Amino acid sequence: AEIAPPVAGNRDSLLAKGRALKGLADAVNVTDGASAKVSMSSLAAAAILRFMGGNFLTLCEHLDPGLFPVMESALQPKP
């Protein structure tokens, strides 16, 4: 599965997409720079999806992870 980080910094739309995929996908590709628009960083989106917006310490105690994100990072070489 694939999820593009939201254009706004609000995590609610990202969590809605992630919850729809939980149980259906083992991993989700978090794209970087989709459509050349400024959006939430793929690192932040991957972290939110991994813990599905919960508290990190609480999730470590209960071992209830969200999705397993595969983070993309689009890099450009310097001339």
Side-chain angles (χ1 to χ4, degrees):
E2 184 172 280
I3 293 179
V7 175
N10 189 345
R11 68 182 186 167
D12 294 336
S13 64
L14 181 66
L15 288 172
K17 292 176 186 177
R19 286 188 186 108
L21 292 173
K22 191 171 181 183
L24 299 174
D26 293 328
V28 62
N29 182 38
V30 182
T31 61
D32 184 36
S35 303
K37 293 181 183 177
V38 176
S39 63
M40 179 187 289
S41 77
S42 57
L43 177 61
I48 290 169
L49 289 170
R50 177 67 178 105
F51 300 108
M52 292 301 249
N55 180 343
F56 175 76
L57 295 175
T58 302
L59 289 167
C60 286
E61 291 171 7
H62 294 98
L63 298 174
D64 182 21
L67 293 170
F68 291 95
V70 177
M71 186 189 82
E72 271 185 25
S73 185
L75 304 174
Q76 302 239 347
K78 291 185 177 184

